[in-house]
Amino acid sequence: MRRARLLGSLLVLTTTLGCDGTLGVDAEEGIDEAAGAGRRAAASLQAQETARVCETGGLGLRQRTGPGLGYGILRVMPEGAATTILEGAGGWYRNRWNGLTGWSFGDFLCPAAAANEPAPAPNEPAPAPAPPAPSSGKVSLQTIVGGPYTLSQGYGPSSFYGGYGYCHSYGHWPTGQNVHCAVDVAIARGTPLYAGAGAKVIAAGGTPWFKDDLNPGAGELRLRLADGTEVIYGHTASVEVALGATVAAGQRIGTSGSAGTGAHLHLEVRVPGNCTLGLCTVDPVSFFGP
């Protein structure tokens, strides 16, 4: 036991300290496990069972180097993330998420089969359920967001606070023109999101781009279709699929979040083409259909 604790301490030093001596994971990130202790009866999870991060209020759940609050923080799993249980000890579970292993507090892990949909906010109607979708091909934008929608900002020339400079690398817009190379779909935070086509997950939150205002572990969710087309779901509040996973058209993949102008989904489609970076944006409404 003494040797195991020593190895755990060494792991904290090598995984949580950067070259400048600062913590690699901010101790403020993720739900405070101590505050949540005893909040509900923790589920009894079995080895090799899939569980989901739940009831963290969008803060996410920490993976630590050992089973207790005294161990170092390795990373934060976003709300809704699916993780594989390896073993349990005193209400803590060693689990594997996106190929990375650590210990997490069981009060914030729910069996995947029993994980409930987030409840709608008071006086806010529940999102409409997504209609049935095929397992291949593309689905409509209405299917992607689970029901009727409005656009808070469309695709193309824009006057919005100086424009989006990166868009010029993904199109042939006139020099100096402000453009918005995506659509912003005005939907409530927490609205379920669905895959627009069968694809591979190439970004599953935590990137520097398309961040969510409240959950740094989510943000950018990016899919790559078989022909090389990339679909970006920006400002997500939670990501429910793992990096490298294959998803089917119409499969639930996360929930919408908020950034800047408020609650919305930034949906961007980049198809292979002769633009600067080899991909050119197209109007998502035209690509998927309304």
Side-chain angles (χ1 to χ4, degrees), residues 31-43 52-57 59-61 79 91 105-110 116:
I31 191 74
D32 179 0
E33 301 104 318
R39 172 187 52 85
R40 66 176 181 84
R52 289 194 181 277
V53 175
C54 63
E55 301 182 23
T56 69
L59 296 175
L61 178 62
E79 178 85 19
F105 190 43
D107 274 18
F108 298 100
L109 290 169
C110 298
N116 295 322

Side-chain angles (χ1 to χ4, degrees), residues 11 14 29 31 36 58 71 88 92 96 112 134 143 162 172 207-208 220-221 228 230 245 247 281 284-285 288:
L11 185 58
T14 56
E29 294 182 5
I31 191 74
Y71 289 89
W92 292 75
R96 183 173 58 249
T143 299
H172 299 288
T207 74
E220 180 188 13
L221 172 55
E230 295 184 1
V247 298
T281 61
V285 178
F288 288 112

Side-chain angles (χ1 to χ4, degrees), residues 139 144-145 193-197 203 209-210 219-223 231-236 239 251 253-254 265-268 288:
V139 298
I144 290 173
V145 298
L193 301 174
Y194 303 87
W209 302 281
F210 309 108
E220 180 188 13
L221 172 55
R222 187 183 302 214
L223 308 180
V231 182
I232 298 170
Y233 294 70
H235 316 310
T236 62
V239 174
Q251 176 181 335
I253 56 176
L265 167 68
H266 172 101
L267 185 65
E268 186 169 327
F288 288 112

Side-chain angles (χ1 to χ4, degrees), residues 52-179:
R52 289 194 181 277
V53 175
C54 63
E55 301 182 23
T56 69
L59 296 175
L61 178 62
R62 299 162 177 165
Q63 273 191 336
R64 293 181 179 269
T65 58
L69 297 175
Y71 289 89
I73 303 170
L74 293 169
R75 59 194 64 86
V76 176
M77 300 183 292
E79 178 85 19
T83 185
T84 302
I85 301 301
L86 302 178
E87 61 178 312
W92 292 75
Y93 291 92
R94 189 165 70 90
N95 60 92
R96 183 173 58 249
W97 172 67
N98 281 356
L100 304 170
T101 301
W103 289 85
S104 302
F105 190 43
D107 274 18
F108 298 100
L109 290 169
C110 298
N116 295 322
E117 298 292 330
N123 302 319
E124 180 180 303
S135 60
S136 61
K138 294 188 293 186
V139 298
S140 68
L141 181 51
Q142 181 165 312
T143 299
I144 290 173
V145 298
Y149 64 89
T150 58
L151 297 182
S152 55
Q153 187 169 194
Y155 178 88
S158 171
S159 59
F160 185 66
Y161 70 73
Y164 304 81
Y166 80 92
C167 289
H168 285 267
S169 296
Y170 297 97
H172 299 288
W173 308 98
T175 301
Q177 184 177 49
N178 295 332
V179 293

